[in-house]
Amino acid sequence: MKIPYIPEDAPFNGDQKYWLAGFLAGLHSRLLVLEDNKQVAGTTAAATTQLHILFGSQTGNAEALAQSAAKAARAQGLVPVVQGLGEVDIEVFATMRHVLIITSTYGEGEMPDNAQLFWQAISASTAPRLEQMHFAVLAIGDTGYDGFCQAGKFIDMRLEQLGAKRVSDRIDCDIDYEEPSNQWIATSMPQFAASAGSSGTALENLPEAPVIPGSNKQNPYAAALITNKRLSGANSGKDIRHFEFDLTDSGLKYEAGDALGVIPVNDPSLVSLLLKQLNSDYETPVSGFDRSLGDLLTYQFEISEPSRKLIEWVGQNTTNQELRHVLQHDDKEALGVWLWGKDTLDLLQLELTRSLSIPEFVALLRPLQHRAYSISSSSKAHPNQVHLTIATLRYQSTGRVRSGVCSAYLAERVGRGEKPAIFISPNKSFRVPANGEAPLIMVGPGTGIAPFRAFLQERQSVGATGKNWLFFGDQHQEHDFIYRDELLAWKESGLLTHLDLAFSRDQSSKIYVQHRMMEQGAELFAWLEQGGYFYVCGDASRMAKDVDKALYQVIMQFGGMSAERAADYVDQLKKEKRYLRDVY
């Protein structure tokens, strides 16, 4: 069920819209509860206790955990109501009595996009008191980034400040979150049931779809790689490639906006260098593992990016004064500069004050993680294939050629017809609008074009009549205009109403997609006023922030709004899910 919202052109003033928004959000919450009650009607009279499971998710992981928590809640006689944090009105939130919040952390300690408005609301001085609420927080993050699980920590602290009572202590989960989070959920649900006065009698669960290979990370699918084609020109500074995987007879389904998880294999040359540094061979046994050291370094652990544990151990046991100084002063920016271009081998080659045993070394490594890439095809256009658009990372440092763990694996070490392990990673927060008449504005420079290629294929396949506008760019038009023929054909056919290009290094002053947005600001704002959807995909650290600033400027300048009114306008776009980002 989708949360209802008030169209911008509805004949109500600001206060009326605000009141109606709260009313509709509350009605939506109650309807969700009624639906759940219908599903479990007749099972037990005690199955009436609500547990609101609210998720903040950038890529879909927290949402998947929320669904797992809902199943565990039913097993304890609770009636789960699952919603994204972006769908929750603060007035309705204040009426909730039992709340489980599951959230990821985006970037360097930031709230995921669909939790930002919720965070603003509970952070405000006007936020309601929550003495009647019983809550718990499950946070997922990545210790490889600063601000590990910071979003969950902030929400947990703020709810306590507002008077809410913890049912269970917060858990902070690293990238291998599945096992600890599911254990925590299993432990916490009986505590929620006891707090809510549930009888603990299990409710009937909804029928579950069979788990097929490729439907999750724990059960990947071996898909034949049938196309590996370079898109960027021979003289480009980048190696951007188009990959196609065969899904025939796999049973896998995906939607435009989803991501594809690829489980990589580490570079064998780096594995060999590490084994030599450790004075070991490939078949060296490792205590506590049923695989050899070579296998562990090839298939099970990250070796290109040093783990925090390894960095800290080396910092405590090295004569390298620069690293010791940076760690002792907790200078995160300086540490990032010092680590740039360095891998696990680089750290082991520093002068150490004591030796590191093989079991100690392995214990300091992080598990090898899948890489998630935005899918660049529509299953309606390519029902038996899934496409990716990936820039292959390569560089030289200290006399060695370095490469991306997964991008180079696909580009260089997987032959045509070989079968890498993949799985579909749904991203329900980044979808083509169901309304085929709605205008689409898409900003995706470089490989950020991937999901928008899928969106355009989707719109073409279903015969959507809405206008489509793409802002695309890269360094040089001659070498970096990927999917040129497709895009120009779509422009010629009318599928693409506008195609605005920004090639930054084809002139003396650099031009980026945000500059093109400003040049077309009047029409861009008009499309938003017509109910347009604004999408962004690509680099989070710079491009997405610059595009966000440009969007505010367009609204202020061409909408005649103050900064405060423009902020409200953008917030409304987010509430209506008309400003969506897939950034990394």
Side-chain angles (χ1 to χ4, degrees), residues 375-520:
I375 291 174
S376 56
S377 57
S378 164
S379 59
K380 293 180 176 63
H382 300 278
N384 296 315
Q385 296 179 359
V386 60
H387 299 176
L388 298 180
T389 308
I390 303 173
T392 309
L393 176 63
R394 296 189 192 89
Y395 61 96
Q396 279 202 348
S397 179
T398 63
R400 282 197 289 125
V401 175
R402 320 295 178 99
S403 58
V405 176
C406 195
S407 62
Y409 164 66
L410 290 175
E412 301 169 357
R413 302 196 298 277
V414 178
R416 190 177 186 277
E418 289 188 34
K419 297 183 176 182
I422 66 168
F423 62 94
I424 304 299
S425 182
N427 186 359
K428 297 178 183 177
S429 299
F430 199 78
R431 289 277 191 259
V432 180
N435 178 7
E437 298 179 357
L440 261 61
I441 305 163
M442 300 163 283
V443 184
T447 56
I449 194 176
F452 304 136
R453 180 177 183 262
F455 280 18
L456 289 166
Q457 289 181 0
E458 183 97 356
R459 299 267 275 188
Q460 185 177 50
S461 296
V462 302
T465 58
K467 301 179 292 185
N468 300 296
W469 189 345
L470 176 65
F471 290 88
F472 172 76
D474 211 311
Q475 293 183 354
H476 299 284
Q477 181 163 342
E478 182 179 355
H479 310 302
D480 303 311
F481 193 174
I482 62 174
Y483 298 119
R484 178 201 304 257
D485 292 344
E486 281 186 27
L487 295 176
L488 293 180
W490 281 335
K491 181 69 171 65
E492 181 68 22
S493 71
L495 178 67
L496 261 177
T497 311
H498 291 308
L499 174 61
D500 277 275
L501 304 173
F503 292 97
S504 60
R505 301 185 185 180
D506 280 347
Q507 57 284 313
S508 57
S509 59
K510 293 183 179 179
I511 297 176
Y512 298 108
V513 286
Q514 63 267 24
H515 299 131
R516 297 303 189 206
M517 286 172 55
M518 291 303 301
E519 291 172 0
Q520 304 293 336

Side-chain angles (χ1 to χ4, degrees), residues 124-141:
S125 59
T126 56
R129 297 292 300 171
L130 304 173
E131 275 85 359
Q132 301 303 311
M133 180 180 290
H134 296 78
F135 79 99
V137 174
L138 191 166
I140 56 177

Side-chain angles (χ1 to χ4, degrees), residues 284-293 295-296 300:
T284 298
V286 181
S287 176
F289 292 92
D290 57 4
R291 307 180 75 168
S292 69
L293 178 59
D295 268 359
L296 293 176
Q300 193 158 330

Side-chain angles (χ1 to χ4, degrees), residues 189-430:
M189 281 305 159
Q191 295 174 309
F192 269 115
S195 173
S198 168
S199 67
T201 303
L203 306 187
E204 179 184 354
N205 272 297
L206 299 176
E208 293 186 23
V211 177
I212 61 172
S215 56
N216 57 51
K217 184 172 67 172
Q218 290 71 38
N219 188 22
Y221 174 71
L225 180 64
I226 56 177
T227 299
N228 173 359
K229 178 175 68 177
R230 179 164 173 145
L231 296 174
S232 48
N235 294 322
S236 171
K238 303 179 179 182
D239 178 5
I240 299 178
R241 291 179 178 263
H242 174 83
F243 298 99
E244 297 178 1
F245 295 88
D246 184 14
L247 299 183
T248 304
D249 300 326
S250 69
L252 288 174
K253 306 293 182 184
Y254 69 90
E255 295 188 42
D258 286 344
L260 188 75
V262 181
I263 300 175
V265 175
N266 281 321
D267 185 348
S269 63
L270 179 56
V271 172
S272 296
L273 289 171
L274 275 170
L275 291 171
K276 183 178 179 181
Q277 180 68 29
L278 294 165
N279 295 315
S280 302
D281 57 35
Y282 196 97
E283 298 303 327
T284 298
V286 181
S287 176
F289 292 92
D290 57 4
R291 307 180 75 168
S292 69
L293 178 59
D295 268 359
L296 293 176
L297 297 180
T298 302
Y299 303 105
Q300 193 158 330
F301 291 108
E302 295 279 359
I303 58 176
S304 289
E305 182 181 341
S307 70
R308 284 299 176 94
K309 287 182 179 179
L310 179 63
I311 295 166
E312 291 170 0
W313 186 94
V314 171
Q316 294 167 2
N317 297 279
T318 182
T319 59
N320 185 289
Q321 294 303 311
E322 185 179 1
L323 177 57
R324 291 176 64 89
H325 176 82
V326 167
L327 290 174
Q328 287 170 1
H329 289 80
D330 195 25
D331 190 334
K332 295 175 182 177
E333 184 175 349
L335 179 60
V337 172
W338 188 88
L339 285 171
W340 191 92
K342 292 182 174 64
D343 57 24
T344 297
L345 178 61
D346 291 310
L347 267 69
L348 294 186
Q349 289 177 334
L350 295 176
E351 187 174 343
L352 301 177
T353 58
R354 78 175 182 89
S355 61
L356 182 64
S357 70
I358 298 300
E360 283 180 313
F361 171 64
V362 170
L364 294 172
L365 299 179
R366 303 167 69 216
L368 180 62
Q369 290 299 302
H370 73 276
R371 270 54 174 175
Y373 298 104
S374 301
I375 291 174
S376 56
S377 57
S378 164
S379 59
K380 293 180 176 63
H382 300 278
N384 296 315
Q385 296 179 359
V386 60
H387 299 176
L388 298 180
T389 308
I390 303 173
T392 309
L393 176 63
R394 296 189 192 89
Y395 61 96
Q396 279 202 348
S397 179
T398 63
R400 282 197 289 125
V401 175
R402 320 295 178 99
S403 58
V405 176
C406 195
S407 62
Y409 164 66
L410 290 175
E412 301 169 357
R413 302 196 298 277
V414 178
R416 190 177 186 277
E418 289 188 34
K419 297 183 176 182
I422 66 168
F423 62 94
I424 304 299
S425 182
N427 186 359
K428 297 178 183 177
S429 299
F430 199 78

Side-chain angles (χ1 to χ4, degrees), residues 49-52 91-100 129-136 164-165 167 192 195-196:
T49 304
Q50 300 173 35
L51 173 63
H52 292 269
E91 299 300 328
V92 176
F93 181 69
T95 68
M96 298 177 184
R97 292 296 172 261
H98 292 88
V99 176
L100 169 59
R129 297 292 300 171
L130 304 173
E131 275 85 359
Q132 301 303 311
M133 180 180 290
H134 296 78
F135 79 99
K165 303 173 183 64
V167 169
F192 269 115
S195 173

